[in-house]
Amino acid sequence: MTGGRWLLRAASLGAALLLWQGLTSLDVNLWLRFEQFPTVGEVAGAFTERAGTGPFWQDLASSLRRIVTGFALAAVLGVAVGTAIARSRIAADVLGPLLEVLRPVPAIALVPVAILLFPSNEQGIVFITCTAAFFPVLVSTRHAVGALTPVWEEAVLTMGGGRARILFSVVLPGALPGIFGGLSVGIGVAWICVISAEMISGEYGVGYRTWQDYTVIDYPGVFVGMVTIGALGWLTSTAVERAGRRLTRWLPARDSSGPVPASAALTRTWRVPGRSPRTPHPATARAGATGPRSGSGPFPEQTREVTP
């Protein structure tokens, strides 16, 4: 990212803070009432004071532990179940109707269920967090896997590959962009639900502390919690997006001038053990690729270079 873009983003954030400071310091009370809002300076002072105490970091660690555990479980289960439903009629018939009935239920509405099911509040909050992130990952994985072209699978079968080779060399790499789209949405939804669950039944955590500040009418403390939640959500969402870009770096890159020309696209190959033929990495293969080249081995060696 260029320095100009960083400067623009910093200016946008600074303008928002200046607007907040102006509205609260002048006690603006038109249709919206800002006279009881704390100023930016008051929130900054409260944040500095809280950051020097042990409970603040204990709350931070509790919320991060819950979000990481719940989100990791949701990612694994969502990708596995979404892939199974997209590729198996039996899985779609058995699991599909049940999941579609449960999907519209808000995860935070499961708090009573979690209290009844799990012996501790900690496990219940992780369950709610996992449920919140599970469905975005499930849906995105199902659609991404279902949209893959069958030409890739046929190429693997032609080269002697089996189900495992198709799954790990074609299905999952080809669906990664869609999967990470669901993961990016899921981490945001997970934060919403983990904070809500901490407010209702937590003992520690940023959400719990924010609710406690509200009950004693400590409005600067409430805003400290809100700022902390926003910062944590931004950091974790950025981490997921960076991981997605790293794992899908075979995709054509984009810059300010537009997409990379087709001639610059890279071709990756994979090889079936014991076979000499090669075929392109499924992430860059497309129907209508150039024809085979002559080579040695039981089959003609093939290298398809195509445009994305």
Side-chain angles (χ1 to χ4, degrees):
M1 187 181 298
T2 62
R5 293 188 63 188
W6 279 111
L7 183 61
L8 181 60
R9 294 187 177 196
S12 173
L13 181 60
L17 292 176
L18 287 175
L19 179 62
W20 176 3
Q21 179 68 25
L23 291 173
T24 54
S25 61
L26 296 175
D27 293 335
V28 174
N29 187 6
L30 298 175
W31 180 61
L32 298 175
R33 301 174 298 175
F34 292 94
E35 70 271 13
Q36 294 185 358
F37 267 47
T39 65
V40 175
E42 292 173 344
V43 174
F47 183 86
T48 303
E49 181 181 351
R50 292 280 181 92
T53 62
F56 176 82
W57 298 104
Q58 183 180 14
D59 293 334
L60 217 66
S62 297
S63 294
L64 283 173
R65 182 178 65 251
R66 292 161 179 166
I67 202 76
V68 169
T69 305
F71 181 71
L73 290 172
V76 173
L77 294 175
V79 172
V81 177
T83 303
I85 291 177
R87 295 187 56 81
S88 171
R89 292 182 180 179
I90 296 177
D93 292 338
V94 173
L95 299 176
L98 176 62
L99 294 174
E100 287 302 316
V101 170
L102 294 176
R103 186 158 66 97
V105 179
I108 197 61
L110 299 176
V111 169
V113 177
I115 293 174
L116 294 174
L117 280 178
F118 296 95
S120 69
N121 289 340
E122 187 74 18
Q123 296 172 352
I125 293 174
V126 171
F127 166 74
I128 293 169
T129 306
C130 176
T131 304
F134 170 76
F135 286 104
V137 179
L138 166 71
V139 173
S140 63
T141 302
R142 185 185 66 192
H143 287 295
V145 172
L148 295 176
T149 173
V151 172
W152 298 351
E153 295 187 33
E154 294 170 1
V156 177
L157 292 173
T158 301
M159 307 309 296
R163 290 179 177 271
R165 172 65 70 175
I166 291 174
L167 178 62
F168 292 105
S169 295
V170 174
V171 175
L172 293 180
L176 271 181
I179 291 174
F180 271 97
L183 290 173
S184 182
V185 174
I187 190 67
V189 177
W191 269 113
I192 294 173
C193 290
V194 74
I195 295 300
S196 301
E198 287 176 349
M199 289 182 175
I200 296 173
S201 61
E203 297 178 357
Y204 298 100
V206 180
Y208 169 79
R209 195 66 57 187
T210 303
W211 182 254
Q212 292 301 309
D213 291 332
Y214 172 74
T215 58
V216 297
I217 319 179
D218 181 7
Y219 292 126
V222 172
F223 277 83
V224 168
M226 293 171 60
V227 171
T228 304
I229 294 166
L232 291 175
W234 174 68
L235 289 174
T236 51
S237 179
T238 300
V240 171
E241 292 176 0
R242 285 183 178 272
R245 286 196 295 268
R246 180 174 294 274
L247 292 176
T248 59
R249 56 183 178 269
W250 43 265
L251 288 172
R254 290 180 180 269
D255 54 25
S256 57
S257 61
V260 170
S263 59
L266 298 176
T267 301
R268 293 189 177 185
T269 62
W270 64 272
R271 184 184 299 273
V272 178
R275 299 273 188 168
S276 60
R278 293 180 299 172
T279 190
H281 189 279
T284 55
R286 293 291 189 276
T290 58
R293 300 177 183 177
S294 61
S296 60
F299 297 99
E301 182 172 344
Q302 301 181 14
T303 301
R304 299 181 179 180
E305 182 171 352
V306 296
T307 60

